[in-house]
Amino acid sequence: MPRLQADADPAAWVPVTGSLGWRGRRHRKAAIRMLLGQAGRAIAPESAGRGGGVLAWALSQATPLLLRRADGRVLVWVWKDDPELVVVMAQLQELTPQLRTARAMMPMEFDDTEDFRNPHLGVGEKLVMDLPKDPRTPPFATYTWDTGTHLVTVTAVCSDRERVGTVLPAVEAIARSIRVVDDLAVGESPTILRIDPA
Protein backbone atom coordinates (compact mmCIF):
# COMPACT_ATOMS: atom_id res chain seq x y z
CA MET A 1 0.00 0.00 0.00
CA PRO A 2 1.42 3.45 -0.91
CA ARG A 3 2.26 5.81 1.93
CA LEU A 4 3.99 9.10 2.48
CA GLN A 5 7.47 9.89 3.72
CA ALA A 6 9.03 13.29 4.39
CA ASP A 7 12.10 14.85 5.96
CA ALA A 8 11.05 17.43 8.54
CA ASP A 9 13.85 19.27 10.36
CA PRO A 10 13.64 18.07 14.00
CA ALA A 11 15.03 21.44 15.13
CA ALA A 12 11.94 23.18 13.72
CA TRP A 13 9.14 20.58 13.77
CA VAL A 14 7.61 18.08 16.18
CA PRO A 15 5.86 15.13 14.48
CA VAL A 16 2.35 14.37 15.69
CA THR A 17 2.23 11.18 13.64
CA GLY A 18 3.66 8.36 15.70
CA SER A 19 3.71 10.27 18.99
CA LEU A 20 1.77 8.28 21.56
CA GLY A 21 0.93 8.87 25.21
CA TRP A 22 3.00 11.56 26.90
CA ARG A 23 5.44 11.85 24.02
CA GLY A 24 4.53 14.97 22.05
CA ARG A 25 1.35 15.46 24.11
CA ARG A 26 1.91 19.17 24.77
CA HIS A 27 2.54 19.91 21.09
CA ARG A 28 -0.44 17.81 19.96
CA LYS A 29 -2.76 19.54 22.42
CA ALA A 30 -1.57 23.03 21.46
CA ALA A 31 -1.92 22.36 17.73
CA ILE A 32 -5.41 20.91 18.11
CA ARG A 33 -6.43 23.80 20.36
CA MET A 34 -5.27 26.25 17.68
CA LEU A 35 -7.20 24.44 14.93
CA LEU A 36 -10.33 24.19 17.08
CA GLY A 37 -10.07 27.89 17.90
CA GLN A 38 -9.75 28.83 14.23
CA ALA A 39 -12.68 26.59 13.29
CA GLY A 40 -14.76 27.98 16.17
CA ARG A 41 -14.16 31.57 15.08
CA ALA A 42 -15.15 30.70 11.50
CA ILE A 43 -18.36 28.90 12.51
CA ALA A 44 -19.50 30.80 15.62
CA PRO A 45 -17.24 33.70 16.59
CA GLU A 46 -19.09 34.40 19.85
CA SER A 47 -18.48 30.85 21.12
CA ALA A 48 -14.82 30.49 20.16
CA GLY A 49 -12.72 29.21 23.01
CA ARG A 50 -15.53 27.80 25.17
CA GLY A 51 -14.73 24.29 26.31
CA GLY A 52 -11.81 24.14 23.90
CA GLY A 53 -9.33 22.94 26.52
CA VAL A 54 -11.11 19.70 27.37
CA LEU A 55 -11.90 18.96 23.73
CA ALA A 56 -8.31 19.69 22.70
CA TRP A 57 -7.04 17.33 25.41
CA ALA A 58 -9.40 14.53 24.30
CA LEU A 59 -8.46 14.96 20.66
CA SER A 60 -4.75 15.09 21.50
CA GLN A 61 -5.09 11.62 23.04
CA ALA A 62 -7.10 10.19 20.12
CA THR A 63 -5.18 11.81 17.25
CA PRO A 64 -2.07 9.55 17.28
CA LEU A 65 -4.27 6.43 17.15
CA LEU A 66 -6.30 7.87 14.26
CA LEU A 67 -3.10 8.76 12.41
CA ARG A 68 -1.72 5.27 13.02
CA ARG A 69 -4.87 3.81 11.46
CA ALA A 70 -4.23 6.03 8.43
CA ASP A 71 -1.11 3.85 7.92
CA GLY A 72 1.21 6.52 6.54
CA ARG A 73 -1.38 8.23 4.36
CA VAL A 74 -1.48 11.20 6.75
CA LEU A 75 1.53 12.91 8.35
CA VAL A 76 1.26 15.87 10.75
CA TRP A 77 3.82 18.25 12.27
CA VAL A 78 3.65 21.30 14.55
CA TRP A 79 6.08 24.18 14.93
CA LYS A 80 8.46 23.27 17.74
CA ASP A 81 8.96 26.75 19.24
CA ASP A 82 5.26 27.67 19.11
CA PRO A 83 2.91 24.69 18.57
CA GLU A 84 -0.10 27.00 18.30
CA LEU A 85 1.45 28.99 15.45
CA VAL A 86 1.40 26.52 12.57
CA VAL A 87 0.25 22.97 11.83
CA VAL A 88 1.32 21.09 8.68
CA MET A 89 -0.54 18.05 7.36
CA ALA A 90 0.48 15.88 4.40
CA GLN A 91 -2.18 13.62 2.93
CA LEU A 92 -2.29 10.89 0.28
CA GLN A 93 -5.70 10.28 -1.31
CA GLU A 94 -6.78 7.96 -4.07
CA LEU A 95 -7.92 10.01 -7.07
CA THR A 96 -11.53 8.90 -7.31
CA PRO A 97 -14.01 10.55 -9.72
CA GLN A 98 -15.67 12.14 -6.66
CA LEU A 99 -12.39 13.72 -5.55
CA ARG A 100 -11.71 15.05 -9.05
CA THR A 101 -15.22 16.55 -9.15
CA ALA A 102 -14.77 18.16 -5.74
CA ARG A 103 -11.48 19.74 -6.85
CA ALA A 104 -13.06 21.05 -10.03
CA MET A 105 -15.82 22.74 -7.99
CA MET A 106 -13.48 24.64 -5.63
CA PRO A 107 -13.97 28.45 -5.38
CA MET A 108 -12.31 30.65 -8.00
CA GLU A 109 -9.67 31.96 -5.60
CA PHE A 110 -8.24 28.43 -5.49
CA ASP A 111 -7.34 28.81 -9.20
CA ASP A 112 -4.68 31.38 -8.32
CA THR A 113 -1.87 28.83 -8.06
CA GLU A 114 1.75 28.79 -9.12
CA ASP A 115 4.09 25.96 -10.02
CA PHE A 116 5.97 24.25 -7.21
CA ARG A 117 8.69 21.69 -7.90
CA ASN A 118 9.32 18.62 -5.76
CA PRO A 119 12.32 16.42 -6.73
CA HIS A 120 10.33 13.24 -6.03
CA LEU A 121 6.87 14.16 -7.37
CA GLY A 122 7.70 16.66 -10.11
CA VAL A 123 5.89 19.94 -10.67
CA GLY A 124 2.80 20.54 -8.57
CA GLU A 125 0.69 23.51 -7.56
CA LYS A 126 1.23 25.99 -4.74
CA LEU A 127 -1.48 28.22 -3.30
CA VAL A 128 -0.78 30.71 -0.51
CA MET A 129 -3.71 32.50 1.11
CA ASP A 130 -1.84 34.72 3.57
CA LEU A 131 -4.65 37.29 3.71
CA PRO A 132 -7.96 35.48 3.12
CA LYS A 133 -10.93 37.73 2.30
CA ASP A 134 -12.84 36.53 5.34
CA PRO A 135 -10.95 37.69 8.48
CA ARG A 136 -12.25 34.61 10.31
CA THR A 137 -10.34 32.35 7.90
CA PRO A 138 -6.77 31.62 9.10
CA PRO A 139 -3.87 32.05 6.65
CA PHE A 140 -2.95 28.82 4.91
CA ALA A 141 -0.81 27.35 2.14
CA THR A 142 -1.39 24.21 0.10
CA TYR A 143 0.95 22.25 -2.15
CA THR A 144 -0.63 19.65 -4.42
CA TRP A 145 0.58 16.96 -6.82
CA ASP A 146 -1.49 14.71 -9.09
CA THR A 147 0.37 11.42 -9.61
CA GLY A 148 -2.31 10.05 -11.92
CA THR A 149 -3.60 7.57 -9.34
CA HIS A 150 -3.29 9.61 -6.13
CA LEU A 151 -3.45 13.19 -4.94
CA VAL A 152 -0.66 14.33 -2.62
CA THR A 153 -1.47 17.43 -0.59
CA VAL A 154 0.55 19.36 1.96
CA THR A 155 -1.47 21.94 3.89
CA ALA A 156 -0.16 24.43 6.44
CA VAL A 157 -2.52 26.43 8.65
CA CYS A 158 -1.14 29.42 10.58
CA SER A 159 -2.80 31.24 13.46
CA ASP A 160 -1.04 34.59 12.93
CA ARG A 161 -1.45 36.60 9.71
CA GLU A 162 1.65 38.66 10.48
CA ARG A 163 3.95 35.67 11.01
CA VAL A 164 2.82 33.34 8.22
CA GLY A 165 5.62 34.55 5.94
CA THR A 166 8.28 33.64 8.48
CA VAL A 167 7.32 29.95 8.59
CA LEU A 168 6.63 29.39 4.87
CA PRO A 169 10.28 28.54 3.99
CA ALA A 170 10.26 25.74 6.60
CA VAL A 171 6.87 24.52 5.35
CA GLU A 172 8.18 24.45 1.78
CA ALA A 173 11.20 22.42 2.89
CA ILE A 174 8.77 19.72 4.07
CA ALA A 175 6.76 20.03 0.85
CA ARG A 176 9.89 19.53 -1.25
CA SER A 177 10.83 16.40 0.70
CA ILE A 178 7.44 14.65 0.52
CA ARG A 179 7.39 11.43 -1.49
CA VAL A 180 5.24 8.36 -2.05
CA VAL A 181 6.72 4.96 -1.19
CA ASP A 182 5.30 1.50 -1.64
CA ASP A 183 6.22 -2.00 -0.54
CA LEU A 184 6.80 -4.39 -3.42
CA ALA A 185 7.09 -8.14 -3.04
CA VAL A 186 9.74 -9.94 -5.10
CA GLY A 187 8.20 -10.99 -8.38
CA GLU A 188 5.19 -8.74 -7.94
CA SER A 189 5.81 -6.93 -11.22
CA PRO A 190 7.36 -8.41 -14.38
CA THR A 191 8.71 -4.96 -15.29
CA ILE A 192 11.04 -4.82 -12.26
CA LEU A 193 14.52 -6.26 -12.66
CA ARG A 194 16.13 -7.24 -9.36
CA ILE A 195 19.89 -7.86 -9.40
CA ASP A 196 21.54 -10.00 -6.75
CA PRO A 197 24.03 -7.72 -4.91
CA ALA A 198 26.53 -10.63 -4.80
Side-chain angles (χ1 to χ4, degrees):
M1 171 179 281
R3 62 188 185 277
L4 293 174
Q5 282 188 356
D7 302 318
D9 182 0
W13 300 101
V14 173
V16 175
T17 313
S19 64
L20 292 171
W22 291 97
R23 182 176 167 224
R25 181 182 66 88
R26 181 176 68 85
H27 288 83
R28 285 197 312 269
K29 183 178 175 182
I32 291 168
R33 186 170 52 242
M34 184 271 277
L35 293 174
L36 286 175
Q38 296 291 346
R41 278 189 286 276
I43 296 168
E46 69 282 355
S47 64
R50 295 181 189 170
V54 174
L55 185 55
W57 176 85
L59 287 174
S60 74
Q61 304 307 304
T63 297
L65 297 175
L66 295 174
L67 292 176
R68 179 177 281 186
R69 289 187 63 187
D71 195 24
R73 296 186 304 276
V74 178
L75 304 175
V76 180
W77 301 269
V78 296
W79 193 244
K80 188 171 187 177
D81 292 338
D82 187 354
E84 294 191 42
L85 176 63
V86 62
V87 177
V88 178
M89 181 176 74
Q91 189 173 13
L92 178 68
Q93 298 172 282
E94 186 178 350
L95 265 174
T96 63
Q98 293 82 4
L99 180 56
R100 290 187 184 277
T101 301
R103 284 179 53 75
M105 296 175 65
M106 294 176 80
M108 286 184 61
E109 56 263 31
F110 284 82
D111 294 335
D112 191 18
T113 62
E114 55 186 274
D115 288 347
F116 185 83
R117 179 170 293 279
N118 172 304
H120 311 286
L121 300 173
V123 177
E125 295 180 345
K126 167 186 172 181
L127 174 68
V128 177
M129 300 287 281
D130 50 355
L131 289 172
K133 293 178 182 178
D134 188 339
R136 296 173 300 178
T137 302
F140 66 92
T142 62
Y143 307 82
T144 310
W145 296 267
D146 182 340
T147 69
T149 59
H150 290 80
L151 185 72
V152 179
T153 307
V154 176
T155 304
V157 179
C158 187
S159 62
D160 189 337
R161 289 178 176 233
E162 295 182 0
R163 296 173 64 191
V164 63
T166 64
V167 296
L168 273 182
V171 171
E172 294 191 352
I174 291 180
R176 285 191 182 92
S177 76
I178 204 80
R179 54 202 178 273
V180 180
V181 298
D182 204 348
D183 295 323
L184 291 175
V186 175
E188 183 175 333
S189 172
T191 61
I192 296 176
L193 175 63
R194 299 185 183 273
I195 300 175
D196 190 334

